Short mmCIF file of all heavy atoms in Angstrom, two decimals:
data_model
loop_
_atom_site.label_atom_id
_atom_site.label_comp_id
_atom_site.label_asym_id
_atom_site.label_seq_id
_atom_site.Cartn_x
_atom_site.Cartn_y
_atom_site.Cartn_z
N GLU A 1 182.35 152.77 55.90
CA GLU A 1 181.42 152.45 54.80
C GLU A 1 180.99 153.67 54.04
O GLU A 1 180.79 153.63 52.82
CB GLU A 1 180.21 151.70 55.35
CG GLU A 1 180.53 150.30 55.89
CD GLU A 1 179.36 149.66 56.61
OE1 GLU A 1 178.38 150.35 56.94
OE2 GLU A 1 179.36 148.41 56.75
N ARG A 2 180.80 154.77 54.74
CA ARG A 2 180.28 156.02 54.10
C ARG A 2 181.32 156.80 53.42
O ARG A 2 181.07 157.44 52.38
CB ARG A 2 179.64 156.90 55.14
CG ARG A 2 178.34 156.29 55.71
CD ARG A 2 177.70 157.18 56.72
NE ARG A 2 177.21 158.38 56.10
CZ ARG A 2 176.78 159.43 56.77
NH1 ARG A 2 176.82 159.48 58.05
NH2 ARG A 2 176.37 160.49 56.09
N HIS A 3 182.60 156.78 53.93
CA HIS A 3 183.57 157.79 53.42
C HIS A 3 184.77 157.17 52.71
O HIS A 3 185.48 157.94 51.99
CB HIS A 3 184.07 158.61 54.61
CG HIS A 3 182.98 159.42 55.27
ND1 HIS A 3 182.24 160.32 54.55
CD2 HIS A 3 182.46 159.38 56.48
CE1 HIS A 3 181.33 160.90 55.40
NE2 HIS A 3 181.50 160.29 56.59
N ALA A 4 185.09 155.89 52.87
CA ALA A 4 186.24 155.30 52.14
C ALA A 4 186.06 155.51 50.68
O ALA A 4 184.91 155.36 50.18
CB ALA A 4 186.41 153.84 52.50
N PRO A 5 187.01 155.91 49.94
CA PRO A 5 188.46 156.06 50.26
C PRO A 5 188.83 157.41 50.78
O PRO A 5 190.04 157.78 50.76
CB PRO A 5 189.16 155.77 48.90
CG PRO A 5 188.22 156.33 47.91
CD PRO A 5 186.83 156.08 48.51
N ASN A 6 187.90 158.28 51.17
CA ASN A 6 188.21 159.57 51.77
C ASN A 6 188.50 159.42 53.28
O ASN A 6 187.77 159.83 54.13
CB ASN A 6 187.06 160.54 51.53
CG ASN A 6 186.78 160.77 50.08
OD1 ASN A 6 187.72 160.83 49.26
ND2 ASN A 6 185.54 160.86 49.73
N HIS A 7 189.63 158.71 53.51
CA HIS A 7 189.98 158.34 54.90
C HIS A 7 190.14 159.51 55.88
O HIS A 7 189.91 159.34 57.03
CB HIS A 7 191.24 157.49 54.91
CG HIS A 7 191.20 156.35 53.92
ND1 HIS A 7 190.20 155.35 53.99
CD2 HIS A 7 191.97 156.04 52.87
CE1 HIS A 7 190.39 154.50 52.98
NE2 HIS A 7 191.49 154.89 52.28
N SER A 8 190.51 160.66 55.36
CA SER A 8 190.71 161.82 56.21
C SER A 8 189.39 162.31 56.86
O SER A 8 189.41 163.11 57.78
CB SER A 8 191.37 162.95 55.49
OG SER A 8 190.58 163.34 54.37
N ARG A 9 188.29 161.80 56.39
CA ARG A 9 186.95 162.17 56.94
C ARG A 9 186.60 161.38 58.19
O ARG A 9 185.56 161.69 58.84
CB ARG A 9 185.86 162.01 55.85
CG ARG A 9 186.16 162.93 54.68
CD ARG A 9 185.03 163.27 53.82
NE ARG A 9 183.86 163.68 54.55
CZ ARG A 9 182.67 163.76 54.02
NH1 ARG A 9 182.50 163.41 52.75
NH2 ARG A 9 181.66 164.22 54.71
N TYR A 10 187.33 160.34 58.52
CA TYR A 10 186.98 159.52 59.70
C TYR A 10 188.25 159.10 60.50
O TYR A 10 188.38 158.01 60.96
CB TYR A 10 186.17 158.31 59.30
CG TYR A 10 186.77 157.31 58.32
CD1 TYR A 10 187.43 156.17 58.80
CD2 TYR A 10 186.78 157.60 56.95
CE1 TYR A 10 187.98 155.27 57.90
CE2 TYR A 10 187.33 156.69 56.07
CZ TYR A 10 187.92 155.55 56.54
OH TYR A 10 188.52 154.64 55.68
N THR A 11 189.17 160.06 60.64
CA THR A 11 190.41 159.77 61.38
C THR A 11 190.23 159.38 62.82
O THR A 11 190.95 158.61 63.40
CB THR A 11 191.40 160.93 61.24
OG1 THR A 11 190.83 162.10 61.77
CG2 THR A 11 191.87 161.13 59.82
N ASP A 12 189.17 159.91 63.47
CA ASP A 12 188.91 159.51 64.87
C ASP A 12 188.59 158.00 64.97
O ASP A 12 189.08 157.34 65.88
CB ASP A 12 187.75 160.31 65.44
CG ASP A 12 188.14 161.74 65.87
OD1 ASP A 12 189.40 162.02 65.83
OD2 ASP A 12 187.28 162.48 66.27
N GLN A 13 187.81 157.49 64.04
CA GLN A 13 187.50 156.09 64.05
C GLN A 13 188.76 155.25 63.73
O GLN A 13 188.89 154.17 64.33
CB GLN A 13 186.39 155.78 63.06
CG GLN A 13 185.04 156.25 63.45
CD GLN A 13 184.79 157.75 63.15
OE1 GLN A 13 185.63 158.43 62.51
NE2 GLN A 13 183.66 158.29 63.56
N ILE A 14 189.60 155.73 62.86
CA ILE A 14 190.86 155.02 62.62
C ILE A 14 191.68 154.99 63.87
O ILE A 14 192.21 153.91 64.25
CB ILE A 14 191.67 155.67 61.45
CG1 ILE A 14 190.87 155.59 60.14
CG2 ILE A 14 193.02 155.05 61.29
CD1 ILE A 14 191.38 156.46 58.99
N GLY A 15 191.82 156.10 64.54
CA GLY A 15 192.56 156.16 65.81
C GLY A 15 191.94 155.30 66.88
O GLY A 15 192.67 154.56 67.61
N ASP A 16 190.60 155.28 66.97
CA ASP A 16 189.95 154.38 67.95
C ASP A 16 190.26 152.92 67.65
O ASP A 16 190.49 152.17 68.62
CB ASP A 16 188.42 154.60 67.89
CG ASP A 16 187.94 155.93 68.34
OD1 ASP A 16 188.73 156.67 69.00
OD2 ASP A 16 186.79 156.33 68.07
N GLU A 17 190.29 152.56 66.40
CA GLU A 17 190.56 151.18 66.03
C GLU A 17 192.03 150.81 66.38
O GLU A 17 192.32 149.73 66.84
CB GLU A 17 190.30 150.92 64.53
CG GLU A 17 190.46 149.47 64.13
CD GLU A 17 189.56 148.48 64.76
OE1 GLU A 17 188.76 148.88 65.62
OE2 GLU A 17 189.62 147.31 64.36
N ILE A 18 192.98 151.75 66.14
CA ILE A 18 194.35 151.48 66.50
C ILE A 18 194.47 151.25 67.99
O ILE A 18 195.08 150.33 68.45
CB ILE A 18 195.25 152.71 66.06
CG1 ILE A 18 195.34 152.72 64.52
CG2 ILE A 18 196.61 152.60 66.67
CD1 ILE A 18 195.95 153.94 63.96
N TYR A 19 193.78 152.11 68.77
CA TYR A 19 193.84 151.94 70.26
C TYR A 19 193.15 150.65 70.67
O TYR A 19 193.58 149.91 71.53
CB TYR A 19 193.19 153.11 70.97
CG TYR A 19 194.18 154.22 71.16
CD1 TYR A 19 193.99 155.47 70.58
CD2 TYR A 19 195.33 154.08 71.94
CE1 TYR A 19 194.92 156.46 70.70
CE2 TYR A 19 196.23 155.11 72.09
CZ TYR A 19 196.00 156.31 71.51
OH TYR A 19 196.93 157.29 71.64
N ARG A 20 192.03 150.26 70.04
CA ARG A 20 191.33 149.06 70.39
C ARG A 20 192.24 147.85 70.12
O ARG A 20 192.35 146.95 70.98
CB ARG A 20 189.99 148.95 69.59
CG ARG A 20 189.08 147.86 70.10
CD ARG A 20 187.87 147.71 69.17
NE ARG A 20 188.25 147.11 67.91
CZ ARG A 20 188.49 145.82 67.71
NH1 ARG A 20 188.46 144.98 68.72
NH2 ARG A 20 188.79 145.32 66.54
N LEU A 21 192.89 147.81 68.97
CA LEU A 21 193.79 146.73 68.66
C LEU A 21 195.01 146.75 69.58
O LEU A 21 195.52 145.68 69.97
CB LEU A 21 194.19 146.76 67.21
CG LEU A 21 193.05 146.44 66.23
CD1 LEU A 21 193.49 146.72 64.77
CD2 LEU A 21 192.52 145.03 66.39
N GLY A 22 195.47 147.95 69.94
CA GLY A 22 196.59 148.07 70.89
C GLY A 22 196.23 147.54 72.24
O GLY A 22 197.03 146.83 72.91
N GLN A 23 195.01 147.74 72.69
CA GLN A 23 194.54 147.19 73.98
C GLN A 23 194.57 145.70 73.94
O GLN A 23 195.00 145.04 74.85
CB GLN A 23 193.14 147.66 74.32
CG GLN A 23 193.06 149.11 74.75
CD GLN A 23 191.64 149.60 74.93
OE1 GLN A 23 190.76 149.21 74.18
NE2 GLN A 23 191.45 150.40 75.92
N LYS A 24 194.10 145.12 72.83
CA LYS A 24 194.07 143.65 72.67
C LYS A 24 195.50 143.11 72.71
O LYS A 24 195.79 142.12 73.34
CB LYS A 24 193.35 143.23 71.40
CG LYS A 24 191.88 143.35 71.45
CD LYS A 24 191.26 142.71 70.23
CE LYS A 24 189.80 142.53 70.32
NZ LYS A 24 189.38 141.66 71.41
N ALA A 25 196.38 143.75 71.90
CA ALA A 25 197.78 143.27 71.78
C ALA A 25 198.50 143.33 73.15
O ALA A 25 199.37 142.53 73.41
CB ALA A 25 198.52 144.05 70.71
N LEU A 26 198.23 144.41 73.90
CA LEU A 26 198.90 144.58 75.21
C LEU A 26 198.14 143.93 76.32
O LEU A 26 198.52 144.06 77.45
CB LEU A 26 199.05 146.07 75.45
CG LEU A 26 200.04 146.78 74.49
CD1 LEU A 26 199.91 148.27 74.68
CD2 LEU A 26 201.46 146.32 74.69
N ASN A 27 197.03 143.23 76.00
CA ASN A 27 196.20 142.56 76.99
C ASN A 27 195.70 143.53 78.07
O ASN A 27 195.75 143.22 79.25
CB ASN A 27 196.95 141.39 77.61
CG ASN A 27 195.99 140.42 78.27
OD1 ASN A 27 194.84 140.29 77.90
ND2 ASN A 27 196.48 139.67 79.26
N ILE A 28 195.25 144.70 77.65
CA ILE A 28 194.70 145.70 78.56
C ILE A 28 193.21 145.46 78.65
O ILE A 28 192.50 145.53 77.71
CB ILE A 28 194.98 147.12 78.07
CG1 ILE A 28 196.49 147.35 78.03
CG2 ILE A 28 194.32 148.15 78.90
CD1 ILE A 28 196.91 148.68 77.45
N THR A 29 192.77 145.18 79.85
CA THR A 29 191.34 144.82 80.03
C THR A 29 190.57 145.81 80.88
O THR A 29 189.39 145.67 81.09
CB THR A 29 191.21 143.41 80.66
OG1 THR A 29 191.89 143.45 81.95
CG2 THR A 29 191.83 142.38 79.84
N ASP A 30 191.25 146.90 81.34
CA ASP A 30 190.60 147.86 82.20
C ASP A 30 190.02 149.04 81.41
O ASP A 30 189.54 150.01 82.03
CB ASP A 30 191.51 148.35 83.30
CG ASP A 30 192.72 149.13 82.79
OD1 ASP A 30 192.84 149.28 81.51
OD2 ASP A 30 193.52 149.59 83.60
N GLY A 31 190.08 149.02 80.08
CA GLY A 31 189.55 150.07 79.27
C GLY A 31 190.46 151.29 79.15
O GLY A 31 190.09 152.26 78.50
N SER A 32 191.63 151.23 79.76
CA SER A 32 192.56 152.40 79.66
C SER A 32 193.21 152.43 78.29
O SER A 32 193.35 151.42 77.59
CB SER A 32 193.60 152.33 80.75
OG SER A 32 194.46 151.21 80.57
N ARG A 33 193.60 153.62 77.90
CA ARG A 33 194.21 153.83 76.60
C ARG A 33 195.73 153.73 76.76
O ARG A 33 196.32 154.48 77.54
CB ARG A 33 193.87 155.19 76.07
CG ARG A 33 194.41 155.48 74.70
CD ARG A 33 193.98 156.86 74.24
NE ARG A 33 192.53 156.84 74.08
CZ ARG A 33 191.79 157.86 73.76
NH1 ARG A 33 192.34 159.05 73.59
NH2 ARG A 33 190.48 157.80 73.66
N PRO A 34 196.41 152.80 76.05
CA PRO A 34 197.85 152.73 76.16
C PRO A 34 198.46 153.94 75.53
O PRO A 34 197.93 154.54 74.61
CB PRO A 34 198.18 151.44 75.37
CG PRO A 34 197.08 151.26 74.40
CD PRO A 34 195.86 151.84 75.05
N SER A 35 199.68 154.33 76.04
CA SER A 35 200.34 155.46 75.48
C SER A 35 200.84 155.10 74.07
O SER A 35 201.00 153.94 73.74
CB SER A 35 201.48 155.85 76.34
OG SER A 35 202.55 154.85 76.26
N TYR A 36 201.06 156.11 73.28
CA TYR A 36 201.58 155.94 71.96
C TYR A 36 202.95 155.18 72.04
O TYR A 36 203.20 154.25 71.31
CB TYR A 36 201.77 157.26 71.30
CG TYR A 36 202.26 157.23 69.85
CD1 TYR A 36 201.50 156.73 68.83
CD2 TYR A 36 203.56 157.74 69.56
CE1 TYR A 36 201.95 156.74 67.52
CE2 TYR A 36 204.00 157.71 68.28
CZ TYR A 36 203.23 157.24 67.22
OH TYR A 36 203.68 157.20 65.97
N GLN A 37 203.80 155.63 72.98
CA GLN A 37 205.09 155.01 73.16
C GLN A 37 204.98 153.58 73.53
O GLN A 37 205.69 152.74 73.01
CB GLN A 37 205.88 155.76 74.30
CG GLN A 37 207.28 155.23 74.48
CD GLN A 37 208.18 155.43 73.29
OE1 GLN A 37 208.20 156.54 72.71
NE2 GLN A 37 208.91 154.45 72.88
N ARG A 38 204.02 153.22 74.37
CA ARG A 38 203.82 151.83 74.78
C ARG A 38 203.42 150.97 73.65
O ARG A 38 203.89 149.84 73.42
CB ARG A 38 202.81 151.74 75.94
CG ARG A 38 202.71 150.38 76.52
CD ARG A 38 201.88 150.38 77.75
NE ARG A 38 201.61 149.02 78.21
CZ ARG A 38 200.61 148.64 78.96
NH1 ARG A 38 199.76 149.54 79.43
NH2 ARG A 38 200.48 147.39 79.30
N MET A 39 202.53 151.52 72.77
CA MET A 39 202.07 150.78 71.62
C MET A 39 203.26 150.57 70.59
O MET A 39 203.42 149.48 70.07
CB MET A 39 200.92 151.44 70.90
CG MET A 39 199.62 151.35 71.70
SD MET A 39 198.15 151.89 70.77
CE MET A 39 198.59 153.45 70.08
N ILE A 40 204.05 151.60 70.40
CA ILE A 40 205.23 151.49 69.50
C ILE A 40 206.21 150.50 70.06
O ILE A 40 206.74 149.65 69.33
CB ILE A 40 205.85 152.87 69.29
CG1 ILE A 40 204.92 153.80 68.55
CG2 ILE A 40 207.19 152.74 68.55
CD1 ILE A 40 204.56 153.35 67.15
N ASP A 41 206.48 150.54 71.36
CA ASP A 41 207.40 149.61 71.98
C ASP A 41 206.92 148.19 71.80
O ASP A 41 207.72 147.28 71.42
CB ASP A 41 207.54 149.88 73.49
CG ASP A 41 208.29 151.18 73.77
OD1 ASP A 41 209.01 151.68 72.86
OD2 ASP A 41 208.22 151.64 74.94
N ALA A 42 205.59 147.88 72.01
CA ALA A 42 205.09 146.59 71.86
C ALA A 42 205.15 146.09 70.40
O ALA A 42 205.55 144.95 70.12
CB ALA A 42 203.68 146.51 72.35
N LEU A 43 204.88 147.02 69.44
CA LEU A 43 204.95 146.66 68.07
C LEU A 43 206.39 146.31 67.66
O LEU A 43 206.67 145.35 67.00
CB LEU A 43 204.41 147.83 67.19
CG LEU A 43 204.56 147.65 65.63
CD1 LEU A 43 203.78 146.43 65.16
CD2 LEU A 43 204.07 148.89 64.95
N CYS A 44 207.29 147.19 68.06
CA CYS A 44 208.72 146.98 67.75
C CYS A 44 209.26 145.66 68.39
O CYS A 44 210.04 144.95 67.76
CB CYS A 44 209.59 148.16 68.20
SG CYS A 44 209.31 149.64 67.18
N LYS A 45 208.81 145.39 69.60
CA LYS A 45 209.19 144.12 70.26
C LYS A 45 208.69 142.96 69.43
O LYS A 45 209.42 141.99 69.23
CB LYS A 45 208.65 144.08 71.66
CG LYS A 45 209.08 142.85 72.43
CD LYS A 45 208.55 142.91 73.85
CE LYS A 45 208.95 141.67 74.61
NZ LYS A 45 208.42 141.64 75.97
N GLN A 46 207.45 143.02 68.95
CA GLN A 46 206.94 141.92 68.13
C GLN A 46 207.74 141.78 66.84
O GLN A 46 207.87 140.68 66.34
CB GLN A 46 205.45 142.15 67.80
CG GLN A 46 204.53 141.91 68.97
CD GLN A 46 203.08 142.11 68.55
OE1 GLN A 46 202.73 142.72 67.55
NE2 GLN A 46 202.18 141.63 69.43
N LEU A 47 208.23 142.89 66.30
CA LEU A 47 208.96 142.85 65.06
C LEU A 47 210.45 142.61 65.30
O LEU A 47 211.24 142.49 64.33
CB LEU A 47 208.81 144.17 64.29
CG LEU A 47 207.40 144.52 63.84
CD1 LEU A 47 207.36 145.93 63.22
CD2 LEU A 47 206.93 143.48 62.83
N GLY A 48 210.86 142.54 66.55
CA GLY A 48 212.33 142.31 66.91
C GLY A 48 213.19 143.52 66.67
O GLY A 48 214.39 143.34 66.41
#
């Protein structure tokens, strides 16, 4: 809300949101952070 469209000012929050959505997509409920490779694999699998 404060910085858009200066997205480079809040990249940590963008990354946090990517991981949060990755946890949901991978059904991770223990609060662990999925690896980048695991998130890419899951995304590519969904895209075929």
Side-chain angles (χ1 to χ4, degrees):
E1 292 173 343
R2 292 179 69 191
H3 300 298
N6 299 321
H7 309 302
S8 59
R9 297 200 53 194
Y10 60 99
T11 56
D12 281 353
Q13 289 82 4
I14 296 168
D16 292 347
E17 182 66 355
I18 291 169
Y19 276 116
R20 192 185 71 75
L21 293 172
Q23 287 174 322
K24 285 188 167 298
L26 294 168
N27 199 26
I28 297 173
T29 59
D30 65 359
S32 65
R33 182 178 296 175
S35 70
Y36 181 70
Q37 182 67 44
R38 186 171 174 202
M39 288 192 309
I40 294 296
D41 289 344
L43 174 63
C44 289
K45 183 177 179 181
Q46 286 181 343
L47 297 175

